Amino acid sequence: MMNNTRRGVLAAVAAGALAFTAAACGGDEAPAAAPSAGGSAAPAEKIELTLNTFGGGENFAYDDAVAQWNAANPNVQVKYVNLTDRFEDTYLPQVLQWLEAGSGAGDIIGMDEGAMGLMAARPQYFADLGQYGLDSRKADFPAYKWDTGVNTEGKLFALGTDIGGMAMCYRTDLFEKAGLPTNRDEVSKLWPTWNDYLEVGKKFKAKVPDAGFVDGANTVYESVLAQEAGKNGGQIYFDKGQQLIVDKNPGVKAAFDYVQQLSTAGLTAKLRSWSEEWNTAMQKGGFATMGCPSWMLGVISGTSGEGNAKKWDVAAVPGGSGNWGGSWLMVPSQSKHPKEAAEVLNFLTGKEGQVAAFKEGGNFPSSIPAQQDPAVAEAKNAYFNDAPSGPIFAASVAQLSPVFFGEKHAQVKAAVGEVLVGADQGSVKWDEAWTRFVEEGVKAAG
């Protein structure tokens, strides 16, 4: 899930710390007798747990799931606090400060994939979920989703929530204007490869010069990179020895080069993801296509508004698969109610919790039983012309390969992303951009 940011993580630690110092978290309750999963003895007194997450509805979408839990568990109530929509430069620095301080974090916290390597290398900050029986759920998850939640001591410290299987969202009205097919099956056939996608973009631009074929550098780069990582041993910016390989990984260079091709061909709208200009262009038809992990459907529908309902649709992504985003939940060791927190985490990452999140925000489940539930497997998205979102994203995630996230993946991602946006928008010359890209990655890795 993945909100790109305007600043690197380290530079924003102080600002992030100031942003939430007053946030109420769940470490202040007196210890109570813990309930166990399955409805056995309730705690001796009512307790309140805090669930901290980030992002809009596209990231966790837990209002309905938390309401279900609270209705069924009157003595173990959950306070759901979505802290910010900015992960890399605000949420992550703040959570790190709380973890290092030993207080302030929620009883359960959400974490984006880009920071999971960082968290796995700090086992002292998190409860061992195996202690509460959650290690029995291994069969519920794809191997790479499960393995990412195992820390450097071999203990389970996190369970997966959503998974960001890839598709391509497109504007049917702009495709019609360009004389291109609008039916999603026919659109999917236009671009079995990324080279085909580029050629379709050129045809589109020739007919509709006042709109971008794609929004900007961010979403295409992440879409291509997700596939290239799978071709290169599941590595992106770091190898499994935590050595920076930003300039050695052919997958990174391939994704960079592809974005350069699109940009220099004039096919991007030169927009920064999650900017006001991006939002406005989404509402006004400023671009025709955008790389869409499952959670992006919620972003588009929420941003474009009801006036654009049915103007968007969903096709297959070039290359057929890929993953961008996805999150995990964990229990900080500072929680005074780790057993109850683990039970809530178990519910939220289980079939019922993940189906509820899918219904609310479109977050495609990483739980295999949830993926198989008819509410997911047969789902259609009314906003996107009743696109069969369940089958589309199920097909995408079925082919995923494991990806390794280094400890400083989030920092490097933010830094190199800035270079890509700068090159796309013209503040960085493309013939100097790769050198700058590598330099900024090295700086961010420290």
Side-chain angles (χ1 to χ4, degrees):
M1 320 183 204
M2 339 323 262
N3 191 339
N4 287 346
T5 57
R6 302 187 181 188
R7 301 183 298 277
V9 173
L10 298 180
V13 171
L18 290 174
F20 302 125
T21 49
C25 292
D28 297 328
E29 300 283 351
S36 61
S40 57
E45 61 186 68
K46 182 177 178 179
I47 64 173
E48 181 179 86
L49 304 175
T50 297
L51 166 64
N52 286 158
T53 64
F54 58 90
E58 73 274 11
N59 290 101
F60 290 93
Y62 279 155
D63 287 334
D64 291 346
V66 168
Q68 288 181 32
W69 172 272
N70 286 342
N73 298 273
N75 286 352
V76 183
Q77 295 290 284
V78 177
K79 180 181 179 182
Y80 178 27
V81 183
N82 189 64
L83 292 172
T84 176
D85 63 354
R86 301 181 69 85
F87 176 76
E88 289 158 350
D89 66 353
T90 305
Y91 180 86
L92 179 57
Q94 177 61 86
V95 168
L96 283 172
Q97 185 189 63
W98 283 333
L99 294 174
E100 291 165 1
S103 64
D107 297 278
I108 307 161
I109 62 172
M111 194 60 57
D112 177 64
E113 64 176 12
M116 287 300 289
L118 185 68
M119 299 299 126
R122 287 155 176 76
Q124 70 274 22
Y125 293 153
F126 301 104
D128 174 8
L129 298 180
Q131 181 179 347
Y132 305 107
L134 273 62
D135 50 358
S136 64
R137 293 192 53 206
K138 186 173 183 177
D140 288 353
F141 297 91
Y144 84 94
K145 194 73 176 182
W146 176 269
D147 291 345
T148 303
V150 176
N151 64 28
T152 53
E153 294 182 347
K155 296 178 179 178
L156 181 69
F157 79 102
L159 284 182
T161 58
D162 65 310
I163 190 171
M166 291 297 302
M168 185 66 73
C169 294
Y170 66 99
R171 291 277 301 226
T172 57
D173 55 340
L174 292 179
F175 269 48
E176 183 176 11
K177 188 176 180 181
L180 294 170
T182 58
N183 175 274
R184 68 182 67 94
D185 293 332
E186 294 179 17
V187 171
S188 297
K189 292 177 183 177
L190 290 176
W191 51 55
T193 71
W194 285 105
N195 285 335
D196 294 322
Y197 178 77
L198 179 68
E199 293 305 313
V200 174
K202 292 176 181 177
K203 294 176 183 177
F204 173 88
K205 194 65 177 178
K207 295 290 185 69
V208 190
D210 56 343
F213 180 61
V214 64
D215 55 334
N218 297 119
T219 58
V220 172
Y221 175 75
E222 293 295 340
S223 301
V224 177
L225 185 65
Q227 294 179 4
E228 290 295 329
K231 299 175 186 176
N232 290 278
Q235 300 177 136
I236 302 179
Y237 301 124
F238 294 87
D239 64 22
K240 294 182 180 179
Q242 298 293 347
Q243 297 300 306
L244 184 69
I245 56 170
V246 66
D247 59 337
K248 300 179 181 65
N249 184 352
V252 173
K253 188 61 163 61
F256 175 95
D257 288 346
Y258 187 77
V259 172
Q260 182 176 355
Q261 282 186 281
L262 282 179
S263 181
T264 55
L267 302 185
T268 75
K270 303 188 183 304
L271 297 167
R272 177 193 296 273
S273 299
W274 292 279
S275 66
E276 288 303 316
E277 294 81 7
W278 186 71
N279 292 340
T280 299
M282 204 181 301
Q283 295 160 5
K284 296 185 176 181
F287 57 88
T289 69
M290 179 166 61
C292 273
S294 57
W295 49 265
M296 189 68 84
L297 270 61
V299 177
I300 292 174
S301 59
T303 302
S304 294
E306 286 305 312
N308 285 312
K310 307 292 185 181
K311 293 180 181 178
W312 285 95
D313 211 319
V314 187
V317 69
S321 68
N323 186 70
W324 172 16
S327 298
W328 284 255
L329 293 179
M330 52 206 71
V331 175
S333 53
Q334 62 190 249
S335 171
K336 293 185 178 179
H337 304 290
K339 185 174 187 294
E340 292 87 349
E343 290 172 353
V344 174
L345 183 154
N346 189 43
F347 169 74
L348 293 174
T349 61
K351 178 180 177 179
E352 290 184 20
Q354 293 206 25
V355 169
F358 176 79
K359 289 179 178 179
E360 181 179 333
N363 308 334
F364 197 78
S366 63
S367 158
I368 294 171
Q371 291 178 14
Q372 295 169 345
D373 188 277
V376 176
E378 301 171 10
K380 294 182 179 181
N381 191 305
Y383 190 91
F384 290 81
N385 277 312
D386 291 325
S389 54
I392 287 172
F393 290 109
S396 176
V397 302
Q399 304 176 53
L400 293 184
S401 300
V403 175
F404 175 76
F405 299 106
E407 287 188 39
K408 293 190 176 181
H409 175 92
Q411 292 95 320
V412 173
K413 174 186 173 184
V416 300
E418 285 297 303
V419 178
L420 277 175
V421 172
D424 188 38
Q425 295 181 342
S427 62
V428 177
K429 295 180 180 179
W430 273 113
D431 60 2
E432 300 173 357
W434 176 249
T435 299
R436 179 81 67 84
F437 184 98
V438 173
E439 289 174 349
E440 293 302 316
V442 171
K443 289 179 185 177

